[in-house]
Amino acid sequence: MKLTTPFRDPELARGQIDAIEKVVAGYDGTITLMEVCGTHTMAIYQHGIRNLLPPQIRLISGPGCPVCVTPVGYVDHAVALARRPGTIITTFGDMIRVPGSSSSLIHEQATGAAIRIVYSPLDAVAIAEKNPEKEIVFLGVGFETTTPTIAGAVLTAQRRGVKNFSVLTSHKTMPAPMAALIGDPELQVDGYICPAHVSAIIGADAYRPLVEQYNVAAVITGFEPLDVLQGIAMLASQVVNGEAKVETQYRRVVKPEGNLKARDILYQVFRPCSARWRGIGDIPDSGLELRPEYSTYNAAEKLNVEIEEPREHPGCLCGDILKGKIRPTDCKLFRTVCTPEDPVGACMVSSEGTCAAEYKYGS
């Protein structure tokens, strides 16, 4: 509490709101800002920040939740592996409830599949050591924040001679999707609230090519209410003054160069690749795949299974929600047949999903 309380002071928050109103006073137009981090999405909803802003500021949520952006075909692949005899699926908690084309991991678990929730990729390596007759597959989903730990698990398995451990990868990276969305005329994004966790790894300098090419404002922002409000004030100031630059509000954590040690481990094991994003499609250089020298840990190459043809639920609008084109309340399934207890789309499953945030904190 001592760490977060100073960043939730109501009087200081009022001062930041006044600062935002002063910046946009007399501005003739709408400033559209997109957050691309699920934790920001949840913070904005939880603290009612959208309702505190002047009408010139429009906040939209983008593809920042790693579980939400994972395509349905990946879930189908994980389901197929779960059905493979002698296989134990290990995963972080949210993935188990994401619906695939015709099943989900939690459904497979209920019918007898071996699926275990872990808190670290190293837990999966430990399970492999204790179960040498089984194949242990870890579901590698997440952004640059998560990937170094998975790289570390692969290196640990290699060092210990663990042969029955592998990773089904669906890693994503920033800022490539931000570039993909900036050109969408329906969105007209003026500035990005850049992700804090990811930026702690990749550094502020990673956004400079995006800003220079697309002339878009960018501020790396922390997660507490005062962080978010100050970040919005900094972005609004850039837009009103006709500027486009990278600024770091979250200076207590993020450095220009990022975390060099974490990046060294990450790129020792992984390399950039094209990746498919739910709702957006294929984006070049927006993913990470295992390097060829670590192919023995690549579940997709190591384990041959039959995967069904992926298909989305016809009524689910997660794709448009992830692009910031609509709000969850625009989806007919929201709060009717799609709920946290019985989710239809990934955005309702994840604790960082836009639909889950709207359901929990929305009006």
Side-chain angles (χ1 to χ4, degrees):
M1 283 299 292
K2 289 183 179 179
L3 291 175
T4 58
T5 299
F7 299 96
R8 298 184 177 187
D9 185 290
E11 290 301 318
L12 294 177
R14 183 68 254 173
Q16 286 294 337
I17 295 166
D18 290 343
I20 294 170
E21 291 175 344
K22 185 176 180 181
V23 167
V24 302
Y27 184 77
D28 184 19
T30 299
I31 299 173
T32 299
L33 307 177
M34 172 180 276
E35 90 269 1
V36 287
C37 170
T39 310
H40 279 143
T41 300
M42 192 58 71
I44 288 168
Y45 273 98
Q46 179 181 1
H47 299 290
I49 289 176
R50 203 173 261 108
N51 296 329
L52 300 174
L53 300 175
Q56 295 97 325
I57 305 286
R58 182 172 76 111
L59 295 185
I60 56 176
S61 301
C65 161
V67 170
C68 304
V69 300
T70 299
V72 68
Y74 178 88
V75 180
D76 293 341
H77 197 162
V79 166
L81 288 170
R83 293 170 176 169
R84 180 180 178 272
T87 302
I88 298 176
I89 300 293
T90 56
T91 178
F92 297 140
D94 282 350
M95 280 302 299
I96 195 171
R97 299 179 63 238
V98 178
S101 296
S102 62
S103 183
S104 65
L105 290 173
I106 197 168
H107 176 77
E108 296 300 318
Q109 186 180 45
T111 55
I115 298 168
R116 299 188 188 179
I117 304 297
V118 296
Y119 296 99
S120 163
L122 288 175
D123 293 342
V125 177
I127 292 171
E129 290 179 304
K130 293 177 181 176
N131 298 272
E133 77 286 2
K134 304 285 187 179
E135 177 68 27
I136 312 303
V137 177
F138 180 75
L139 302 186
V141 172
F143 290 98
E144 293 95 330
T145 316
T146 309
T147 315
T149 64
I150 298 170
V154 170
L155 294 173
T156 299
Q158 184 185 54
R159 187 171 63 252
R160 294 179 180 174
V162 179
K163 306 291 187 183
N164 60 324
F165 167 77
S166 57
V167 181
L168 184 65
T169 62
S170 184
H171 301 292
K172 303 292 192 294
T173 62
M174 292 286 174
M178 299 160 70
L181 293 176
I182 195 69
D184 191 322
E186 292 185 39
L187 295 176
Q188 296 185 340
V189 176
D190 297 298
Y192 279 112
I193 301 173
C194 297
H197 291 149
V198 165
S199 301
I201 304 298
I202 68 175
D205 289 344
Y207 301 96
R208 300 199 187 285
L210 171 80
V211 169
E212 293 170 1
Q213 181 174 354
Y214 296 100
N215 197 40
V216 62
V219 175
I220 300 164
T221 306
F223 298 117
E224 293 301 319
L226 287 179
D227 289 323
V228 176
L229 289 171
Q230 187 177 27
I232 291 171
M234 294 164 72
L235 283 165
S237 179
Q238 285 193 42
V239 176
V240 169
N241 293 317
E243 299 176 320
K245 55 187 177 183
V246 181
E247 293 184 289
T248 304
Q249 182 278 332
Y250 201 39
R251 291 192 299 273
R252 60 188 184 276
V253 173
V254 177
K255 302 176 182 178
E257 71 278 14
N259 185 326
L260 296 180
K261 186 173 183 178
R263 290 169 58 186
D264 285 346
I265 293 173
L266 190 163
Y267 287 109
Q268 179 182 345
V269 176
F270 291 94
R271 67 181 183 183
C273 67
S274 177
R276 178 157 297 181
W277 296 62
R278 186 191 295 264
I280 301 176
D282 295 337
I283 303 177
D285 294 327
S286 69
L288 293 166
E289 64 182 5
L290 286 162
R291 292 185 178 276
E293 52 266 41
Y294 297 100
S295 60
T296 56
Y297 300 100
N298 188 337
E301 295 184 9
K302 184 179 181 181
L303 308 172
N304 185 30
V305 290
E306 186 172 346
I307 309 167
E308 67 181 298
E309 188 68 23
R311 58 187 187 281
E312 301 276 358
H313 188 290
C316 178
L317 300 183
C318 273
D320 285 338
I321 291 170
L322 287 166
K323 288 183 285 192
K325 293 191 174 184
I326 63 171
R327 295 279 300 272
T329 48
D330 296 323
C331 177
K332 293 180 179 178
L333 304 185
F334 182 76
R335 285 188 188 276
T336 55
V337 298
C338 184
T339 65
E341 293 75 24
D342 190 16
V344 174
C347 296
M348 185 62 90
V349 174
S350 174
S351 59
E352 296 187 341
T354 304
C355 294
E358 177 74 40
Y359 190 94
K360 189 172 185 179
Y361 297 113
S363 56

